[in-house]
Amino acid sequence: MSNNDMKDLISQFKSSIFKFYQNKEKEEIDPIILLDCNLSRFLIARDLDIDKALIMFINVNTWRKNIPITDINISEIKKIKKLFPSYWLTLDKYGHPVYIECPGIINMKKLMKITTIELMTNIYIQNSEYMFTHLYESLSNKSKLNITQTLSIIDLKGCSFRSLSKEVYVYIKNIINIGNTYYPETIYKMFIINAPFVFNTMWSLIKPLIPIKTREKIHILKTGQENILYEFIDKDKLPKNLDFTNIDNSNNIYEKNYLDWLER
């Protein structure tokens, strides 16, 4: 679809939205999801079907009025990040932010002593809000590009059968549902690296929860396929041996910007 065709479709979509809300004075529309870049997300997620996209828009707008986020102390988040490394690392060659998660080294027993699945889900939502309401706009303004998606790297180094706990499954199920339902079309690419054999079992459980469109963006890299990742990210911006579990982020401006945003 050409840019002009998409603009026309977005215009028609807006008309449908305003028509739906015109007699609902008490129901305000969240301005962030009314931006053209976000309206296109709903359309793409629903195969350019305006009626289906409208249903999705209404659900998201309703949810955003009472986003289930509790106040989380920044020191709590930092403690959790030590046990479950996750951080904003850099930008890829096309300006997308690069986000890292290292679930393979999680010790769930230790983690559950300082947090809960609900709190971790809240942190995921806050991270998504940062991305959705602040990061994309900030990067777009600086680069003069239209940045609307994230490149994610999931480092499974250390993953074992012990990693396949009930808590892990519930957390993954929660964030997949939230991401697909309320933050559609935010994934540019997702690379899963250092995946052990046991990951096949985990993937068989997770895969059915992920929409086909999203699955097509997920790439599980085997040993020797590192060059695929380097096609998208400059090699000097990544750690040696692609081990993301031990990175010092104390001087990382991208992670610092996120933590500063949390403390706003």
Side-chain angles (χ1 to χ4, degrees):
M1 174 176 281
S2 69
N3 288 337
N4 287 335
D5 287 341
M6 178 56 85
K7 286 180 181 178
D8 289 342
L9 195 61
I10 288 173
S11 180
Q12 294 174 45
F13 187 25
K14 277 185 180 178
S15 296
S16 296
I17 292 169
F18 292 138
K19 183 178 179 180
F20 177 83
Y21 284 99
Q22 66 182 356
N23 296 320
K24 296 175 173 60
E25 297 178 1
K26 295 182 180 180
E27 294 191 39
E28 296 182 359
I29 302 175
D30 188 329
I32 194 71
I33 58 172
L34 203 54
L35 297 174
D36 285 3
C37 61
N38 290 330
L39 291 179
S40 66
R41 297 183 192 282
F42 299 111
L43 289 167
I44 293 170
R46 292 298 178 261
D47 298 317
L48 307 182
D49 186 313
I50 290 179
D51 291 336
K52 291 180 180 179
L54 178 60
I55 293 171
M56 187 180 202
F57 181 95
I58 294 167
N59 289 337
V60 172
N61 191 54
T62 301
W63 182 79
R64 292 188 66 79
K65 292 175 184 175
N66 296 290
I67 297 178
I69 294 180
T70 55
D71 290 334
I72 307 172
N73 189 295
I74 192 71
S75 63
E76 289 182 78
I77 293 178
K78 288 180 178 179
K79 287 178 182 178
I80 292 170
K81 280 177 173 283
K82 285 185 178 180
L83 293 175
F84 178 9
S86 59
Y87 49 90
W88 295 96
L89 178 66
T90 185
L91 302 181
D92 72 7
K93 295 180 180 180
Y94 309 100
H96 303 103
V98 176
Y99 184 67
I100 310 295
E101 281 196 351
C102 304
I105 62 172
I106 295 177
N107 183 319
M108 285 305 295
K109 286 186 178 180
K110 287 184 178 180
L111 192 59
M112 289 298 101
K113 287 180 180 179
I114 65 169
T115 188
T116 63
I117 295 300
E118 182 181 3
L119 185 57
M120 288 179 62
T121 303
N122 282 338
I123 292 174
Y124 170 81
I125 294 173
Q126 285 197 332
N127 196 59
S128 298
E129 277 296 292
Y130 168 69
M131 174 183 73
F132 199 74
T133 66
H134 175 77
L135 182 59
Y136 292 151
E137 181 181 11
S138 174
L139 292 176
S140 295
N141 289 338
K142 288 179 181 178
S143 66
K144 306 303 179 185
L145 300 171
N146 185 28
I147 306 300
T148 62
Q149 295 180 312
T150 296
L151 187 153
S152 297
I153 298 174
I154 311 299
D155 185 353
L156 293 180
K157 179 184 178 183
C159 184
S160 65
F161 275 111
R162 293 177 63 185
S163 306
L164 304 178
S165 66
K166 178 182 177 182
E167 290 87 354
V168 169
Y169 180 73
V170 171
Y171 171 69
I172 292 174
K173 187 175 180 180
N174 285 350
I175 65 173
I176 288 175
N177 177 59
I178 291 168
N180 289 325
T181 306
Y182 304 116
Y183 301 97
E185 294 298 316
T186 53
I187 295 176
Y188 168 59
K189 299 283 183 184
M190 178 180 289
F191 294 99
I192 297 175
I193 65 171
N194 297 323
F197 178 75
V198 69
F199 177 69
N200 292 332
T201 302
M202 185 183 294
W203 183 240
S204 68
L205 296 173
I206 297 170
K207 189 176 179 180
L209 304 174
I210 305 172
I212 294 175
K213 268 188 180 179
T214 303
R215 276 186 239 162
E216 291 172 350
K217 300 177 182 181
I218 299 175
H219 307 274
I220 303 171
L221 301 188
K222 299 177 181 178
T223 302
Q225 293 185 315
E226 295 83 0
N227 286 340
I228 296 176
L229 193 56
Y230 300 146
E231 290 176 15
F232 295 91
I233 309 173
D234 291 324
K235 192 173 182 178
D236 60 1
K237 291 184 177 180
L238 299 172
K240 291 182 179 180
N241 302 320
L242 296 183
D243 179 359
F244 294 87
T245 61
N246 242 340
I247 288 184
D248 178 10
N249 275 307
S250 56
N251 295 315
N252 184 336
I253 188 63
Y254 298 100
E255 179 68 2
K256 182 178 182 302
N257 286 345
Y258 168 59
L259 296 175
D260 288 345
W261 180 84
L262 287 175
E263 293 186 300
R264 67 196 187 287

